[in-house]
Amino acid sequence: MPARSQRATLAMVAEAAGVSLPTVSKVLNGRGDVAAATRQRVQDVLKDLGYVPQPGRRTVGPARVVDLVFDDLVSPYSLEVLRGVTEAGAETGVDVVVGRLPESDDDDWARRLSLAGREGLIVVTSELTRAQVEGFARAGLPLVVIDPLNLPRVEVTSVGATNWNGGVSATEHLLQLGHRRIAYAGGPVQASCSQARQHGYRAALENAGVTVDPRLILHGAFGYPDGLEMGGRLLDLPEPPTAVFAASDATALGVMEAARRRGLRVPEDLSVVGFDDTMLAELATPALTTVRQPLQDMGRVALRTLMRLAAGETLDSHHVELATNLVVRDSTTNLRGAP
């Protein structure tokens, strides 16, 4: 066994396991033509020796593979990002493996991906622990996150949209329609993208001379059930809002349903703005006014950025932001009685 300070090589693994180099390569590449007992012995030696493929290099085999991990695989947001990543992968000859964020807090996840010869990992709207991030750094595997719920290390490469600007544009639109009692149905408190949207919302109100009412700011998950719950709480206030800016399209639809259950009409009685511009926005009744963030482009940029890191390139910035823009549809209108 080599000393831990010495980087293990395939030759060391093969010698310690008593197998040939091609056999070790087959195990690393997930080939099926290796006996179960032999495969287990090689995997045990790989782990004992702490073998990690050299950064920027792949194990034997032509395929380049990256992992794409979500906290929610079935949301319209995830589907848009998935499309962008897979299209960029097809253009660059990279295969994409899709999965869910594991619950483990150690670096076994990073080690497994290294042993499988992955080029790197893209994580979408998930919360990473410091141990997970450090595990990828030790394994030499590039990591790119999209709209992370947190950033355990500032040097983690991330891709997002201009969330603050989006919050400003959504709120200014409602202000221009005469609304002053505007609520914010936000995402998780720790989510940096939701925080930025809230800051934009507050800035627009303050610039218009409107006092921010803390009772009109709520937080929940980026989904329909939380939007329904937050919408109910807002509309049951003694002095409810006349408009709601929701941190996602799914949240906005939940708010609209809460209004319907109370006999309120959108937009006549309540104007609603979402965020994302997924397929839900156009399918909603009425069609949803929303802030569009280019989700497919974010996926494409994340994949291309990951491959640059895998090639050993140095990036100009650890964070990339793509522009948002407001898409006005039918869920917003002038406040009754407003000039």
Side-chain angles (χ1 to χ4, degrees):
M1 295 286 182
R4 282 291 181 176
S5 60
Q6 181 181 1
R7 186 184 183 95
T9 65
L10 287 180
M12 294 176 183
V13 173
E15 181 180 0
V19 298
S20 65
L21 275 173
T23 298
V24 176
S25 295
K26 289 179 181 179
V27 172
L28 285 171
N29 285 281
R31 293 272 297 274
D33 53 343
V34 179
T38 302
R39 179 183 302 278
Q40 186 61 56
R41 186 165 72 254
V42 172
Q43 290 174 338
D44 289 343
V45 172
L46 287 166
K47 185 173 183 179
D48 289 342
L49 297 184
Y51 174 79
V52 175
Q54 294 183 18
R57 296 184 59 184
R58 294 179 283 115
T59 55
V60 177
R64 294 187 297 168
V65 183
V66 302
D67 270 44
L68 174 63
V69 176
F70 295 90
D71 63 341
D72 184 355
L73 285 169
V74 296
S75 72
Y77 174 104
S78 298
L79 294 176
E80 291 292 313
V81 173
L82 173 62
R83 181 175 176 181
V85 172
T86 54
E87 285 181 353
E91 293 167 0
T92 55
V94 176
D95 293 335
V96 180
V97 176
V98 180
R100 295 286 298 272
L101 187 73
E103 297 180 358
S104 174
D105 192 37
D106 56 31
D107 60 359
D108 282 345
W109 181 27
R111 185 182 300 112
R112 289 196 303 272
L113 294 185
S114 290
L115 295 179
R118 297 291 197 262
E119 297 279 352
L121 175 74
I122 300 172
V123 177
V124 184
T125 62
S126 299
E127 185 171 2
L128 292 171
T129 66
R130 179 173 293 275
Q132 288 170 334
V133 172
E134 291 176 349
F136 277 95
R138 285 194 298 271
L141 276 177
L143 170 67
V144 174
V145 296
I146 298 177
D147 272 349
L149 295 187
N150 69 324
L151 280 177
R153 286 171 35 168
V154 295
E155 63 269 26
V156 173
T157 302
S158 61
V159 176
T162 52
N163 292 293
W164 186 87
N165 289 340
V168 169
S169 63
T171 310
E172 286 183 341
H173 170 66
L174 294 170
L175 288 166
Q176 291 165 4
L177 294 174
H179 296 278
R180 292 297 179 268
R181 195 154 177 78
I182 303 170
Y184 177 65
V189 174
Q190 75 275 21
S192 57
C193 58
S194 180
Q195 291 173 3
R197 293 165 198 174
Q198 180 183 335
H199 292 326
Y201 153 84
R202 295 178 67 98
L205 291 179
E206 291 168 357
N207 288 340
V210 177
T211 301
V212 178
D213 186 343
R215 294 171 298 178
L216 297 183
I217 299 176
L218 300 178
H219 297 277
F222 290 113
Y224 179 90
D226 287 75
L228 179 62
E229 189 271 337
M230 287 187 285
R233 289 169 58 190
L234 291 168
L235 296 173
D236 289 341
L237 289 171
E239 190 179 354
T242 63
V244 176
F245 167 38
S248 75
D249 291 348
T251 302
L253 264 61
V255 171
M256 292 167 65
E257 174 60 16
R260 187 195 67 81
R261 293 184 183 184
R262 286 158 177 79
L264 301 175
R265 298 170 299 167
V266 175
E268 292 84 356
D269 301 315
L270 180 73
S271 286
V272 179
V273 179
F275 203 105
D276 289 335
D277 197 25
T278 60
M279 67 181 74
L280 293 178
E282 290 189 274
L283 296 177
T285 304
L288 182 66
T289 295
T290 189
V291 177
R292 180 182 185 273
Q293 57 173 337
L295 298 175
Q296 292 184 32
D297 289 341
M298 288 161 60
R300 294 186 186 97
V301 170
L303 188 284
R304 291 166 182 159
T305 300
L306 185 70
M307 300 315 295
R308 288 181 61 191
L309 290 171
E313 295 184 30
T314 300
L315 304 179
D316 295 328
S317 173
H318 285 296
H319 182 63
V320 177
E321 283 192 349
L322 304 185
T324 57
N325 63 283
L326 182 70
V327 180
V328 179
R329 296 193 178 95
D330 303 327
S331 65
T332 53
T333 193
N334 292 300
L335 177 66
R336 285 180 179 177

